[in-house]
Amino acid sequence: MTFSIHGLAVARGIAIGRAVIVASSRVDVAHYFIEPEQIEAEIDRVRVARNAVVDEIIRVQEGLMDMRTKETPHELAAILDVHLMLLQDDDLIDGVKQRISGRLYNAEWAVTAQLEALARQFDEMEDRYLRERKADIEQIAERVLRAMQGAPSPIAPPVPSRGKRSSQDLLLDDTVDVPLVLIAHDLSPADMLQFKQSVFAGFVTDVGGKTSHTAIVARSMDIPAVVGARSASQLVRQDDWVVIDGDAGVIIVDPSPIILAEYGFKQRQGELERERLSRLRFTPAVTLDDQKIELLANIEMPDDAQAAVAAGAVGVGLFRSEFLFMGRQGALPGEDEQYEAYKRAVEGMQGLPVTIRTVDVGADKPLDNKSADRIHRDEAHLNPALGLRAIRWSLADPAMFLTQLRAILRAAAHGKVNLLFPMLGAASEIRQALALVAIARAELDQRGIPHGAVRLGAMIEVPAAALTLPMFIRHFDFLSVGTNDLIQYTLAIDRADESVAHLYDPVHPAVLRLLAGTISECRARGKSVSVCGEMAGDITLTRLLLGLGLRSFSMHPSQILAVKQQILRADTSKLQPWAQQVLDAEDPASLLAA
Ligand code: PEP
Ligand code: MG
């Protein structure tokens, strides 16, 4: 039966594919694709784990037999029988094998997916006794997964890319060619990064706001995504056909042939539109009244520089360096490793400038994706977004911070580098950050290691910074407005919390006032200023930002051409008085829609 689920649209386009539900297991398991030559080894890992669990259950059963003279726990014996029966069930075993050999899932993923599919079948049974057997399936899944943890996979997680597919490629057989869409309760930014090179044609998460970091990574992957879809991971089943409408923020489950045809058409329209936009790649971003606009790229990993150059970016306006620090179980990258990564980004940009932001972890960007880690973090810090995040985290560990600063200064020997500090709010933080840059440089001099000049910049992303702008203008070469956080901290709305997402308003008069004031004051004092939050890549806001005087935008490479199209059609001399009206309005959104 067809039904739809509504969430928040985060990345545009239409994806059609079979659902892969991840991470509902109680055991933390990795999900990744294997190479065909690894199929046998993965099936073997499942076989060994299953046999170990069977042996263990038989041993327990034998122990129970010995206890017969005393009080025999009949119920326990019956449960163990059911577990043995399930473990030896051909459907279960064949299903797991099929997921490994047909879809190239790693062993743990195949086990959880197959057992989940089975659990759903039990869920639907009329008979209460049978329905309750679902708990047994969960228990054996846990036992097998734990047995496998004793013999971890020798295969490293990241994945061979199978490319994206359109609705025309839909195959109804169960092979590796079926497009897949990922549905999860939650994915940390580190999880998302793992999936970055993967095959998924789209993403859905139950939780998250439009500018949560998970959504930002999804957007950078340029595939349709919906977050804040509440109970999607409960309502959608493993393997259901699903349409993700990333423009409308809707998921259609089990679409009828008519709906499928409709969305297939929309998908092709989207592809044509992208093709049309690609012609603008070499067109300079200049408005009708001859204002030159700088279009920069936001990147997460050094190799994203390729996409930035391909999209015609004139530099990187924001390299979120924290992604180099994530998912490493606490082992932070050393100076050489970071230097190599920054150098790769600098070289990838072929002489264009790269703005490297120092690490911004904390809040919705935990270092690791382990659920235990998140629990620990949440218990330790009741307001993580207001806690030890970004520059505060760096200043709390000067040795770690100096390591990063030295690596960035060394990379600057290979090209134009700008060094950007996140979330500064106080004069003391500015002084410490700048002093540490000087120390890092002196240390490199002392060691005789080459390094280069950098321009120093600050993010304006807390109201305190926007309200004390002259101090920032005095100390820094350039400023970059992080609207994602500026909105969060101005309006007291957690950007990652879907339950308050309706109040997260980029055009709230308070936000616009801080933004407009920052842009105009920087322009008046001849200080470079750009916007690198998600507002910069939102085509519904391009005209407003131009009207407010913004001339430098930084966004995901996939958004650059659409924003450029808006710029080519704009006349800033006409937009300026209109932007002033929007700024003075009680309800700016109504003027934007007009
Ligand atoms: C922002 O806050 O707008 C920003 C660009 O930084 P991040 O999204 O990484 O917090
Ligand atoms: Mg920020």
Side-chain angles (χ1 to χ4, degrees), residues 3-63:
F3 63 96
S4 59
I5 303 168
H6 293 251
L8 304 166
V10 293
R12 68 213 160 87
I14 309 289
I16 305 173
R18 275 202 193 275
V20 172
I21 319 276
V22 299
S24 52
S25 152
R26 278 176 283 179
V27 182
D28 208 357
V29 297
H31 300 74
Y32 53 91
F33 292 97
I34 59 171
E35 299 286 354
E37 56 272 21
Q38 295 163 328
I39 291 173
E40 280 312 313
E42 284 300 88
I43 291 179
D44 224 45
R45 289 179 59 231
V46 181
R47 196 177 296 128
V48 169
R50 189 203 52 169
N51 291 347
V53 176
V54 168
D55 289 350
E56 185 189 313
I57 293 177
I58 291 173
R59 269 199 309 278
V60 176
Q61 276 183 327
E62 286 167 357

Side-chain angles (χ1 to χ4, degrees), residues 14-201:
I14 309 289
I16 305 173
R18 275 202 193 275
V20 172
I21 319 276
V22 299
S24 52
S25 152
R26 278 176 283 179
V27 182
D28 208 357
V29 297
H31 300 74
Y32 53 91
F33 292 97
I34 59 171
E35 299 286 354
E37 56 272 21
Q38 295 163 328
I39 291 173
E40 280 312 313
E42 284 300 88
I43 291 179
D44 224 45
R45 289 179 59 231
V46 181
R47 196 177 296 128
V48 169
R50 189 203 52 169
N51 291 347
V53 176
V54 168
D55 289 350
E56 185 189 313
I57 293 177
I58 291 173
R59 269 199 309 278
V60 176
Q61 276 183 327
E62 286 167 357
L64 288 180
M65 302 269 252
D66 293 344
M67 290 165 66
R68 255 204 193 138
T69 46
K70 300 172 203 160
E71 204 176 309
T72 309
H74 288 292
E75 281 183 355
L76 179 56
I79 288 172
L80 292 177
D81 279 342
V82 172
H83 284 196
L84 268 185
M85 215 174 65
L86 286 168
L87 279 165
Q88 287 160 342
D89 178 62
D90 282 345
D91 281 355
L92 174 69
I93 294 158
D94 291 346
V96 172
K97 277 191 196 163
Q98 167 56 25
R99 284 172 201 272
I100 295 175
S101 57
R103 301 195 186 175
L104 299 179
Y105 286 8
N106 68 311
E108 286 86 349
W109 186 1
V111 168
T112 36
Q114 184 59 24
L115 285 164
E116 253 173 41
L118 207 62
R120 293 280 192 166
Q121 286 172 18
F122 276 78
D123 244 355
E124 280 175 359
M125 289 181 178
E126 301 266 314
D127 185 295
R128 188 165 151 249
Y129 173 80
L130 286 177
R131 238 184 5 252
E132 285 171 0
R133 300 286 58 82
K134 184 185 160 189
D136 295 305
I137 293 182
E138 286 169 354
Q139 284 166 16
I140 65 156
E142 207 169 322
R143 277 168 179 261
V144 173
L145 291 170
R146 288 200 194 286
M148 276 197 282
Q149 276 179 347
S153 170
I155 304 160
V159 288
S161 171
R162 283 160 45 191
K164 293 171 195 169
R165 289 177 167 77
S166 72
S167 64
Q168 284 165 318
D169 302 322
L170 290 185
L171 298 177
L172 292 173
D173 62 345
D174 213 10
T175 70
V176 290
D177 288 325
V178 176
L180 302 173
V181 297
L182 187 74
I183 317 263
H185 175 67
D186 190 10
L187 287 170
S188 72
D191 289 327
M192 284 297 280
L193 211 61
Q194 267 215 2
F195 288 121
K196 197 157 177 166
Q197 301 304 322
S198 78
V199 300
F200 293 106

Side-chain angles (χ1 to χ4, degrees), residues 208-285:
K210 271 189 173 198
T211 64
S212 63
H213 285 94
T214 300
I216 286 174
V217 181
R219 207 169 286 132
S220 78
M221 292 163 70
D222 195 21
I223 57 175
V226 172
V227 299
R230 309 269 169 143
S231 47
S233 72
Q234 299 292 317
L235 298 173
V236 182
R237 297 145 185 241
Q238 202 72 252
D239 297 332
D240 275 350
W241 278 102
V242 167
V243 173
I244 299 176
D245 182 342
D247 298 310
V250 176
I251 305 130
I252 294 138
V253 185
D254 199 9
S256 66
I258 294 176
I259 293 178
L260 209 53
E262 174 75 11
Y263 276 98
F265 175 74
K266 275 196 187 179
Q267 200 178 39
R268 286 191 293 283
Q269 291 291 104
E271 281 156 15
L272 283 176
E273 174 61 16
R274 276 169 198 238
E275 233 173 84
R276 266 196 295 275
L277 281 177
S278 69
R279 293 184 207 138
L280 297 180
R281 192 193 145 193
F282 297 109
T283 310

Side-chain angles (χ1 to χ4, degrees), residues 211-213 216 298 300 318 320 322-323 357 360 364-365 389-390 420 422-423 459-462 480-489 495 504 531-535 554:
T211 64
S212 63
H213 285 94
I216 286 174
N298 290 356
E300 277 87 38
L318 176 66
R320 289 182 161 99
E322 54 274 16
F323 284 89
R357 179 177 70 182
D360 177 6
D364 74 327
K365 277 185 286 194
R389 190 197 150 182
L420 180 64
M423 217 182 152
M459 291 196 68
I460 303 298
E461 51 183 354
V462 294
S480 186
V481 189
T483 47
N484 305 335
D485 278 316
L486 190 61
I487 299 165
Q488 154 165 278
Y489 294 124
R495 61 193 267 192
Y504 185 91
V531 168
C532 63
E534 297 300 294
M535 280 179 85
S554 192

Side-chain angles (χ1 to χ4, degrees), residues 267-417:
Q267 200 178 39
R268 286 191 293 283
Q269 291 291 104
E271 281 156 15
L272 283 176
E273 174 61 16
R274 276 169 198 238
E275 233 173 84
R276 266 196 295 275
L277 281 177
S278 69
R279 293 184 207 138
L280 297 180
R281 192 193 145 193
F282 297 109
T283 310
V286 180
T287 61
L288 294 173
D289 57 326
D290 217 23
Q291 294 287 315
K292 290 183 187 48
I293 311 298
E294 184 178 50
L295 294 181
L296 302 161
N298 290 356
I299 65 171
E300 277 87 38
M301 290 306 244
D303 295 336
D304 295 343
Q306 283 163 12
V309 171
V314 297
V316 167
L318 176 66
F319 176 177
R320 289 182 161 99
S321 70
E322 54 274 16
F323 284 89
L324 297 173
F325 289 62
M326 287 180 190
R328 307 169 56 106
Q329 279 71 42
L332 302 184
E335 181 180 322
D336 286 346
E337 186 183 340
Q338 287 189 59
Y339 160 65
E340 290 297 337
Y342 304 142
K343 183 172 131 208
R344 217 166 56 245
V346 170
E347 289 176 347
M349 288 309 292
Q350 304 164 16
L352 297 168
V354 177
T355 305
I356 303 171
R357 179 177 70 182
T358 62
V359 63
D360 177 6
V361 295
D364 74 327
K365 277 185 286 194
L367 277 181
D368 287 313
N369 52 3
K370 292 263 175 281
S371 40
D373 210 70
R374 272 188 238 163
I375 290 162
H376 173 76
R377 177 175 58 88
D378 289 345
E379 275 175 4
H381 311 288
L382 292 178
N383 285 311
L386 303 180
L388 198 65
R389 190 197 150 182
I391 193 72
R392 302 168 184 180
W393 193 81
S394 296
L395 294 177
D397 187 349
M400 181 283 302
F401 197 31
L402 281 168
T403 302
Q404 178 171 41
L405 294 174
R406 286 192 303 269
I408 295 173
L409 293 173
R410 285 172 62 187
H414 301 274
K416 288 182 200 147
V417 170

